[in-house]
């Protein structure tokens, strides 16, 4: 399959790129870390594109470059996400709010829009949206990040309803605690990025007559 993965320079996206490339898929991996992109390209022979998803113009340009490189797009994996910091509601800044909106909600929405335009004529395709279990909870000091992830989840639900009649599958994923550099300290009790990547691959390998609309998965230490 020809696959575009965002947020590929660390954590889940990095491990997912390596795993899917090892299975023979043609990958375009995107991110902002040029050193990590070069490392991925050397290790997996994938194609890479440096792009800042907080910029709408770069986001669309990146998609067009990826599509041109792949020739066709079978799978879009909206994996990129960020949380600038934890803070009380009265403390967040407009700049932080706008940045999180741009990366966590606007970018995957734009990429999904572009993916639909190339997948609909073929009557097939797969869009996987990696949200977070934060969208299922209400944690203090996480207001902005939670709002964007809940918005992303809502968008993904509507995307599924609009895409599926055209033969395009959409899966919304809600992974729980994952031990990545997204966190300030290591959390060995959480899922590894490799485990999450393996889980996403399993969804890609489901039978053709199965559509996984949503999936919540967590490490054993999390009960909700």
């Amino acid at each position: 399959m020809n696959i575009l993965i965002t947020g590929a320079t660390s954590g889940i996206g990095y491990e997912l790129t390596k795993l899917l490339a090892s299975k023979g898929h043609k990958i375009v991996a995107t991110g902002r870390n040029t050193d990590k992109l070069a490392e991925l390209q050397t290790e997996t022979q994938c194609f890479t594109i440096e792009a800042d998803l907080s910029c709408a113009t770069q986001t669309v340009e990146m998609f067009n470059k990826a599509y041109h490189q792949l020739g066709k797009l079978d799978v879009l994996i909206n994996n990129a996400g960020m949380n600038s910091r934890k803070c009380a509601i009265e403390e967040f800044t407009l700049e932080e709010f706008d940045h999180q909106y741009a990366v966590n909600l606007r970018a995957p929405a734009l990429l999904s829009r572009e993916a639909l335009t190339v997948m609909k004529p073929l009557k097939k395709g797969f869009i996987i949206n990696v949200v977070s279990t934060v969208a299922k909870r209400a944690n203090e000091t996480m207001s902005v990040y939670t709002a964007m992830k809940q918005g992303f989840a809502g968008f993904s639900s509507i995307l599924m309803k609009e895409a599926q009649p055209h033969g395009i599958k959409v899966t919304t994923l809600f992974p729980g605690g994952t031990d990545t550099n997204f966190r300030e300290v290591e959390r060995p009790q959480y899922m590894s990025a490799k485990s999450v990547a393996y889980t996403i691959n399993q969804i890609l390998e489901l039978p053709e007559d199965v559509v996984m609309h949503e999936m919540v998965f967590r490490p054993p230490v999390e009960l909700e």
Side-chain angles (χ1 to χ4, degrees), residues 38-60:
E39 186 179 308
L40 272 176
Q41 192 168 35
T42 299
E43 184 172 351
T44 69
Q45 309 306 309
C46 70
F47 301 99
T48 62
I49 301 174
E50 181 186 359
D52 183 355
L53 297 187
S54 69
C55 173
T57 301
Q58 282 193 45
T59 299
V60 176

Side-chain angles (χ1 to χ4, degrees), residues 163-220:
Q164 193 164 302
H166 298 276
I168 302 166
K169 297 181 179 182
V170 176
T171 298
T172 308
L173 296 181
F174 298 91
T178 307
D179 187 21
T180 70
N181 56 6
F182 188 82
R183 300 180 182 277
E184 295 178 355
V185 296
E186 292 185 359
R187 296 291 183 90
Q189 72 273 32
Y190 283 175
M191 297 182 292
S192 70
K194 287 184 179 180
S195 294
V196 177
Y198 176 84
T199 302
I200 295 172
N201 176 69
Q202 292 294 100
I203 292 170
L204 284 173
E205 295 182 351
L206 288 172
E208 280 297 318
D209 59 349
V210 175
V211 184
M212 177 77 75
H213 287 168
E214 291 187 357
M215 181 177 177
V216 178
F217 56 107
R218 295 181 168 95

Side-chain angles (χ1 to χ4, degrees), residues 15-214:
E15 296 297 337
L16 185 59
T17 299
K18 292 195 297 181
L19 176 60
L20 295 181
S22 73
K23 291 181 173 290
H25 299 297
K26 187 176 181 180
I27 310 292
V28 169
T30 74
R32 293 182 300 163
N33 188 322
T34 55
D35 291 338
K36 281 294 186 180
L37 287 175
E39 186 179 308
L40 272 176
Q41 192 168 35
T42 299
E43 184 172 351
T44 69
Q45 309 306 309
C46 70
F47 301 99
T48 62
I49 301 174
E50 181 186 359
D52 183 355
L53 297 187
S54 69
C55 173
T57 301
Q58 282 193 45
T59 299
V60 176
E61 287 177 350
M62 177 275 287
F63 179 89
N64 291 332
K65 289 177 184 177
Y67 182 69
H68 177 76
Q69 185 66 62
L70 292 169
K72 67 170 183 172
L73 181 65
D74 298 308
V75 182
L76 165 65
I77 302 178
N78 281 313
N79 168 71
M82 58 81 62
N83 183 25
S84 52
R85 65 182 176 124
K86 296 180 179 181
C87 69
I89 289 174
E90 68 271 21
E91 295 176 5
F92 76 76
T93 67
L94 177 60
E95 290 75 18
E96 288 173 323
F97 190 96
D98 287 347
H99 192 200
Q100 289 210 50
Y101 159 70
V103 175
N104 294 327
L105 180 52
R106 185 179 69 192
L110 288 173
L111 293 172
S112 296
R113 181 192 70 183
E114 297 303 304
L116 285 182
T117 65
V118 299
M119 290 177 174
K120 274 188 175 182
L122 300 177
K123 300 292 184 183
K124 63 179 181 178
F126 202 160
I127 300 174
I128 295 179
N129 291 322
V130 183
V131 184
S132 167
T133 51
V134 73
K136 302 284 189 181
R137 307 176 71 180
N139 292 335
E140 298 91 336
T141 74
M142 298 280 280
S143 60
V144 178
Y145 183 63
T146 300
M148 300 312 163
K149 288 297 188 177
Q150 288 183 348
F152 185 19
F155 174 87
S156 190
S157 295
I158 301 302
L159 177 66
M160 179 273 292
K161 289 193 173 183
E162 293 191 8
Q164 193 164 302
H166 298 276
I168 302 166
K169 297 181 179 182
V170 176
T171 298
T172 308
L173 296 181
F174 298 91
T178 307
D179 187 21
T180 70
N181 56 6
F182 188 82
R183 300 180 182 277
E184 295 178 355
V185 296
E186 292 185 359
R187 296 291 183 90
Q189 72 273 32
Y190 283 175
M191 297 182 292
S192 70
K194 287 184 179 180
S195 294
V196 177
Y198 176 84
T199 302
I200 295 172
N201 176 69
Q202 292 294 100
I203 292 170
L204 284 173
E205 295 182 351
L206 288 172
E208 280 297 318
D209 59 349
V210 175
V211 184
M212 177 77 75
H213 287 168
E214 291 187 357

